[in-house]
Amino acid sequence: MNKTEVIARRILGWKLNRWDRWYDQEKENFIYDFKPEENLEHALFIVERLKGFGYTYSVIGKYEVCFNDVCDNGKTLAQAITNAAFSLADNSTIDEGWL
């Protein structure tokens, strides 16, 4: 799985419906062309979901963010959010019982 897939599945709890769209069962809607590294609006879906899980989101500098003590950076804010979320999800620090 790539970074986007890990985030969509493990953090957001979405299911891949087709090659170009995800399905959010909670909100019962489709998300087309999910690209959180390129689209700040998509990256903010991640922030809101993690806040709902109790994570604290903070911006350190221009393009560095933290979710609690997991921090990462990028060339843009959207990329920094995506990188930090991936670090969090890829290291299995998210309680999978949430999903």
Side-chain angles (χ1 to χ4, degrees):
M1 277 193 284
N2 66 29
K3 191 182 299 188
T4 300
E5 287 180 86
V6 168
I7 290 168
R9 292 177 194 275
R10 296 197 64 210
I11 294 177
L12 299 171
W14 295 348
K15 306 279 185 213
L16 188 60
N17 181 264
R18 252 185 15 198
W19 67 272
D20 65 338
R21 73 178 179 203
W22 292 89
Y23 182 68
D24 181 348
Q25 290 178 304
E26 283 184 12
K27 296 180 183 170
E28 297 181 343
N29 67 343
F30 293 99
I31 296 85
Y32 293 88
D33 297 319
F34 181 60
K35 296 179 181 173
E37 284 187 289
E38 300 170 16
N39 185 325
L40 184 57
E41 183 180 334
H42 289 177
L44 293 176
F45 290 158
I46 300 165
V47 172
E48 291 308 311
R49 181 71 168 189
L50 289 172
K51 282 182 177 179
F53 290 151
Y55 283 87
T56 300
Y57 167 72
S58 55
V59 179
I60 316 287
K62 193 169 183 179
Y63 301 126
E64 184 175 358
V65 302
C66 298
F67 294 105
N68 291 358
D69 61 346
V70 177
C71 301
D72 214 322
N73 57 41
K75 294 180 182 177
T76 65
L77 183 58
Q79 190 177 58
I81 291 167
T82 303
N83 290 342
F86 179 72
S87 294
L88 188 65
D90 195 47
N91 290 318
S92 302
T93 56
I94 296 177
D95 180 359
E96 292 191 27
W98 292 346
L99 303 177

